[in-house]
Amino acid sequence: MSPAPDERDRIRAAMNRILSGTPEHSNGALTIVALSAEAQVPRNALTQRHPDLRNDFYDQVRARGQMPDVERRLRRQVRSLKELRAADAQMIARLKADVEALVGALHQSTAENSQLHQRLAQGTKVVRVLPQPRTVDPAPPMPPDLM
């Protein structure tokens, strides 16, 4: 489909309406989607046929000290992802510390078990088996951040 002969003029007029705060055919957002709706042209007219007008629109938005909506949204998403990454790093650090403590306890239990087996094999010392407790205390609940 070939572009309409007045397409560039409609895009420029739409830019002026959006930047002046008087949109007629869109919500007035500082986005290419709103600009294409305001100019009543397909979005790809701005992204493929007239990228110079798209860039000009964003340059004018920035020159007025504003930030395009898409940039604002992406910055908000980046901030959110950085916060999630920091929380994940804290969780990983706690889990690594837990793993180290559990490996130490396992190593100690294995060493004690090995000593007991050696004593049993030598038969020189008396090894008594302790009676099993009648009731088992339930394990404490896991912290919510580890679930």
Side-chain angles (χ1 to χ4, degrees), residues 1 8 18 24 41 52 64 74-76 84-85 89 91 110 120 131 138-139 143 145 147:
M1 181 169 117
R8 291 181 69 82
I18 287 178
E24 296 173 2
V41 298
D52 59 320
R64 292 171 183 240
L74 288 173
R75 286 181 185 272
R76 199 171 31 245
L84 286 173
R85 187 167 182 241
M91 172 73 77
T110 303
L120 280 174
D145 59 339
M147 291 182 172

Side-chain angles (χ1 to χ4, degrees), residues 43-115:
R43 185 171 152 254
N44 71 347
L46 289 161
T47 59
Q48 295 174 5
R49 290 194 297 259
H50 308 294
D52 59 320
L53 293 176
R54 177 197 62 208
N55 294 338
D56 186 35
F57 176 67
Y58 281 143
D59 290 343
Q60 287 184 40
V61 168
R62 285 187 189 93
R64 292 171 183 240
Q66 297 173 316
M67 185 182 305
D69 291 346
V70 67
E71 186 175 343
R72 188 177 297 117
R73 187 173 57 249
L74 288 173
R75 286 181 185 272
R76 199 171 31 245
Q77 186 177 10
V78 165
R79 187 173 41 251
S80 172
L81 290 172
K82 284 182 179 180
E83 290 169 0
L84 286 173
R85 187 167 182 241
D88 287 347
Q90 289 177 347
M91 172 73 77
I92 289 169
R94 283 194 307 260
L95 291 173
K96 283 182 178 181
D98 290 347
V99 165
E100 288 179 19
L102 291 170
V103 166
L106 179 63
H107 178 70
Q108 181 178 354
S109 297
T110 303
E112 290 172 0
N113 191 27
S114 177
Q115 288 175 353

